[in-house]
Amino acid sequence: MLNYIWAVMIMLGVFYAALTGRMEQVTNAALDSAGEAISLCLTMAGVVALWMGLMEIAKEAGLIQRMTKGISPFLDFMFPRIPKKHPAREYIATNIIANILGLGWACTPAGLKAMEELAKLDDERTGRKADRTMERVASPEMCDFLILNISSLQLIPVNMIAYRSQYGSVNPAAIIVPAILATCVSTLTAIIYCKCKNRGHM
């Protein structure tokens, strides 16, 4: 749907530019934007390489495992129906840690694996075999994880810092404190909502 919306907006812009005699400006803007896109991609690639490398170092040093154990009480609170030894817990923990560190690229694979494991857990509980041809209803744990992931508590908003730096911000890191406050509020709201929503499932 978004593809159609963007296509219509682009076509309307080109059509309006042709009617008003501003095609040259549209062409120049398209070329300039293409150059900025390439520059931004190179900047973000460097940021991704740096933080993913640090994430791997932390994993090899055992820091990720320690952090996972550290948030176990939080996982028990948020997902009491997931068995302690279930693989979904590890993937959820990795996703949360990556989000907190602002590593959106690292949290996505873990998030997908967590959803797969939660789907398997739901199939085991309901006695239903996974069937890709049938429409699936998300389990309460899947919904909670998705809500928690979207709220995304971040201590280091790497993406925003990189964007601000790319576009000439005098102090790119000035976003850190507002981002922490905003994501703390969003995450707290998500937690409260999930716990109220799941009273009937406890």
Side-chain angles (χ1 to χ4, degrees), residues 30-48 162-168:
L31 293 174
D32 291 342
S33 297
E36 289 183 6
I38 296 298
S39 179
L40 179 61
C41 286
L42 292 175
T43 299
M44 295 306 296
V47 174
V48 170
Y163 292 144
R164 285 167 59 85
S165 176
Q166 174 65 25
Y167 290 106

Side-chain angles (χ1 to χ4, degrees), residues 46-68:
V47 174
V48 170
L50 172 63
W51 285 100
M52 290 296 289
L54 291 176
M55 190 75 169
E56 285 299 316
I57 292 173
K59 183 177 180 180
E60 291 296 326
L63 295 178
I64 299 299
Q65 185 177 5
R66 293 178 186 177
M67 293 177 70
T68 300

